[in-house]
Amino acid sequence: MKKSTKNLINVALLALMFVAVYLLEQQFGRRSMLITVLKKGAIYALIAVSMNLLNGFTGLFSLGQAGFMLVGAYTYAVLTIPMAKRAAVYQYYNGGIIGFTVPTIVGILAAGALAALIAALIGMPVLRLKSDYLAIATLGFAEIIRAIIQWDTLGPITNGSNLLKTYPTFKSVVPVFAAATICIGIIVLLINSTYGRAFKAIRDDEIAAEAMGINLFHHKQMAFVISSFFAGIGGALLAMYQGSLQANAFKSSMTYEILLIVVIGGMGSISGSVIASFLFIAASEWWLRFLDTEMVLFGGTFKVPLLRSGFRMVVFSVVIMVIVLFFRRGIMGENELWDLVEKRTKKAKGGARR
């Protein structure tokens, strides 16, 4: 298949996806559970892909994603709260010290930029570490970032441990899909470039990559900063989805959720991370929710055992264990959905010619 034809097909499929999402929103309403899952799934897909860029494609075991999401979320919220509402939001800090408001798009880009800047500073010492030591260091920095944001001295900027609210949010699912699609598309282009091939070479064998002339620290730093940039944008989108913001929500457990999505989808697979994100959100917040409600059958004579608050997460954990046991390399492994479709198409053409 020619590259131009392939690109045209991809554009057509993306257009169909946006049309389908728009029609689903019109059919079921913006507050339906389906649309809620699509919104959060798209945000988590972007964050999971950004983490996969670092962990799956570059081979750096980082656990600082929640920290960079937190930076992005707070940057967006702080910069976009309308001036007329700042006095009410910063009521314990005399209206705060930020005397301006930026447009939504500028706020989202600023969220990614500040997360990338902090990642560049953090990366200088921690990227010289490897494997578990790198994971511990990045996890520690994420917790430090959360503590600093809640520090009362920075309250006039971050509002301390109080809620941030009244910043612009999105009501439709289409802008969320658009932002996530653009960011994931940029990451795909990066992975398919010479830089992406250098990332994979570092993942496969650092010694061989260095012998080939690849600057290990430079490329690790680049992957770390780019991953953090998109994690910051994902944090801004998540803040818009939630409608209000507090640092305590961005604990290490959030990083573990994203890492779990990456592992389930496949380390080194963009499409795997996207598919796993929607499956994870749908299963954890929608499909299994009935398990948290007690159920009585046959006119009240039989009570279904085990069904109670919290049982949903028990079943969800079992489902995850089964997936990990039977799909050791994740749903997609290191394959991409579009490559598998192309291979099947070629096989089908080859069989028809015979």
Side-chain angles (χ1 to χ4, degrees), residues 33-50:
M33 199 61 202
L34 173 61
I35 300 304
T36 299
V37 168
L38 289 177
K39 286 180 182 177
K40 194 171 182 180
I43 296 168
Y44 267 58
L46 168 58
I47 300 168
V49 170
S50 72

Side-chain angles (χ1 to χ4, degrees), residues 73-74 76-98 101 154-168 243-246:
Y74 263 75
Y76 170 79
V78 167
L79 293 179
T80 57
I81 295 174
M83 289 300 302
K85 298 179 180 179
R86 285 189 180 273
V89 175
Y90 290 88
Q91 57 181 324
Y92 301 109
Y93 298 99
N94 298 320
I97 61 173
I98 304 296
T101 301
L154 291 179
I157 300 175
T158 65
N159 209 23
S161 58
N162 303 302
L163 279 176
L164 285 177
K165 51 188 178 180
T166 71
Y167 51 79
S244 61
L245 188 59
Q246 196 167 28

Side-chain angles (χ1 to χ4, degrees), residues 36 38 71 78 97 109 123 136 149 157 183 206 247 261 266 295 304:
T36 299
L38 289 177
V71 171
V78 167
I97 61 173
L109 293 175
I136 294 169
I149 284 178
I157 300 175
C183 292
E206 288 192 7
I261 290 172
M295 190 179 299
V304 179

